Amino acid sequence: MSDLEIQADLGRQARARSPRRRRIGAAEALAGAFALFLITAAFAPSLVAPGDPLAIDPLSAFQPPNLAHWFGTDESGRDIFTRVSHGTGGSLVIGTLATAIGLGLGIVLGTMAGMLGRVVDFTVNRFLEVLFAFPGLLLALLVILVFGPGAQTATVAVGLATAPGYARIIRAQLISVRSAAFVEAATVLGRGRWQILVRHILPNTLAPLFVLGTLGIGQAVVWASALSYLGLGAAPPAAEWGAMLSAGRTYITSAWWMAFFPGLFIVLTAVTATSLGRALERRARHA
Amino acid sequence: MSPGTGATANRRATPGPLVSMLRVRDLAVGFGPRPGTDPVIAGISFDIAPGECLALVGESGSGKSVTARSLLGLAGDGAWLQAAELAINGSDVLDLSDAQWRRRRGRDVGLVLQDALVSLDPLRPIGREIADSLRLHTTLDRAARRARVQEVLERVGLPDGRSRVRQRSGELSGGQRQRALIASAIALDPPLLLIDEPTTALDVTVQAQILDLLESLKRHGTAILLISHDLAVVGRIADRIAVMSAGRIVEQGPAARLLASPRQEQTRRMIAAIPIDKPRGTRLASPGDRADAPATPLSPPAFHVSAPAAAAASSASPAHDLASGEVVLEAIGLVKTFRRPDGRDQLAVDGVSFRLARGTTLGLVGESGSGKTTTARLLLALSLPDSGEVRVLGRPFSAATERQRRRLRPELGAVYQDALSSFDPRLTVDAVLRDAVRGARRAARTGSAGAGTAARDRARVLELLDQVSLPRTLLTRRPLSLSGGQRQRVGIARALASEPQILVCDEPVSSLDVTVQAQVLDLLDELQRERGLSLLVISHDLGVIQHASDQVAVMLDGRIVETGATAQVFRAPRHPYTQSLLAAVPRLA
């Protein structure tokens, strides 16, 4: 075999193998595109839908989807596409903030349980078990009962309801990382407890959480919408998906599009966040 | 591939025996898109006669396992296979379908895989595992199957068959598991057995028993293809040896001839790398082996000077003057008890005492479960003794608080068996070493953090890399992407960052190929000579201990049963356990 042939051979190998490693699936690409759309809609809704989400036009009420109104109009003649687009920001903020609250609380509780010895571990664990005994949504309802309905309360409520799950995962991860060989190696090198915690234990515990957080955002959006649907989150004139879904329910037989499109966006957002989260998880595992 | 390959292979093949149990001619296997492209093995030809054992020997990645798997029709998805001839027991198996292969595996050819722990289903009793092949391939009824299972268990040296058959793999020791696996392979009495690294994970006495078992199978007429990276093990039972390198057989011949007068460089290297019976200070790695780690501009002097100096150094060096040696690491009556799952206490370490003198190597040898690793953890104060004490440089270590210990830790480096898991998986080699260098600088309190610090740390990292003969290109890589030998070198470099006086090495080479093991042992030897390090080497491998240590301590059931100068203990062992250990060691010639 000549050198040239060998080189050609190597080239073929490289070409044949590299795409297998970095292949982006169709699902991932679609999810990425939709995420991009959501982010644009969240930060600059007028770019996506230039109209006013609250502008009333009684003459064009209850129009089915058409060229002028892609998603149709509601009982007051407001354009549903505009409202759904302008509602993206609210829903995403609620989803992200709720996840951040849940994760943050989870990190504090989980780290306490994992690092501060048996007594704290026992106490935190019993506390978490009590929280686990309630279904998440019930816990959120309890918070709203105490603090009154509203978008902010809904956010906090969803965050609180998801915290126990995160705390459990963080504690387990922390305990497995804490006894890892590389932590012992750091001890042998003469590192102090805090140095080891900050340099090795926390990063290795928290890195997998970003994936978890991405998955959590989709879940939190659904929960927040559920609360709004029940009339406990954002109030009706506001362009919030859950609230719109709730308003559309009344007309579900005559104007299906009023409930369908907000619902579709809730579902798509959850699916997008989940598939992006899964993709990140796969990457992280192979890295 | 060029047509020339086949011709060479045919010429290279030894004249086949009259009856051939396995006949392979010009076998090539690859994972390329089309047959013939990107071969991983090529031009493989050999024969095995009934009652003969051929050993396929080579380093990791040389293609031995691919060869063996292809012979069973298990080359894998997307693999292509070409051969001029591939016949088992006289019948052609080249074009068998999957279904046809299934009928033959187990009956015509048995397979024993490397890792007995994962090869046996943990949830099923071993009797059931062994009976499986009988159920699939024979018409025997239940009673006859049960009788046959007990018979083969007895043959592999697992008597008391009635209660054995109900045990699960988790209840068996490593050697017993390997036996059970062999039992399931021979249940159908296949005329040909393929055995992949049968003794790699086993203690030396168990290893000897398994080799005896294979020997008896051979006498019984079974043809055996043995795959191994260890020539010393192979030398005990193989009739012929084929040495593989880079997907080809580079040398093939009768075992005695090949071991006594190897013709090929690769074979010579592998023989030279075997540590047993090589005196202290002899280099094990051949110069050509450095491909793995090309010498960097700074290191050649050390390399060239040490090679000729080695032989002279062995008896004259001050390292061997033990009487006057200052004790740098001392264990005094260490005791450690663990609570077992069943609630009873188990003594893991039971009154272990020894002293490590400056500039010398103490070898701690014992089989699995003897308490070696627990002792290492006690020495490093990763766990604390129930009673007894560890002293470092004459100062209390285990009895001190962790804060006080931290001041002594820079003097005590550690090298681990599994280097990979001792690195933070997020960090690159550069970050691992920089962390160590920074930690060492802070501990020494030299040079406040200032303008030149980063540059000085960087220079120190490069210096450490040079000391362990690693190229700088590895800095940006993560340990996961390095070879086993490279990982162990990074581990050693990290341990050297604080310029320790003592290195504790727990099984530093047990997960490495013989030739890579030789390089790492040479490196430790060099470092000791250059910087006067005191080493504690813990190993189950008597060859490693004999080669690397001045003093040896033999551990059994948590106690040290014999200590002494290495040469003396190996020449005239006093304790019966040491005698049995030494008798079991496979040696060349």
Side-chain angles (χ1 to χ4, degrees), chain A residues 184 187 190-191 199-200 204, chain B residues 377 406 409 424 426 435:
Chain A
E184 291 198 336
T187 312
R191 298 293 174 279
R199 178 70 170 156
H200 298 294
N204 277 293
Chain B
R377 293 178 56 84
R406 222 166 279 149
R409 286 213 182 266
D424 188 330
R426 294 177 314 115
D435 266 11

Side-chain angles (χ1 to χ4, degrees), chain B residues 339-377:
Chain B
R339 172 78 33 101
R340 287 205 308 213
D342 61 9
R344 279 184 296 167
D345 286 343
Q346 172 151 17
L347 263 176
V349 171
D350 184 9
V352 164
S353 304
F354 55 78
R355 295 162 154 212
L356 174 62
R358 180 178 293 284
T360 68
T361 303
L362 173 66
L364 196 58
V365 67
E367 301 191 271
S368 38
S370 63
K372 303 185 304 278
T373 295
T374 310
T375 307
R377 293 178 56 84

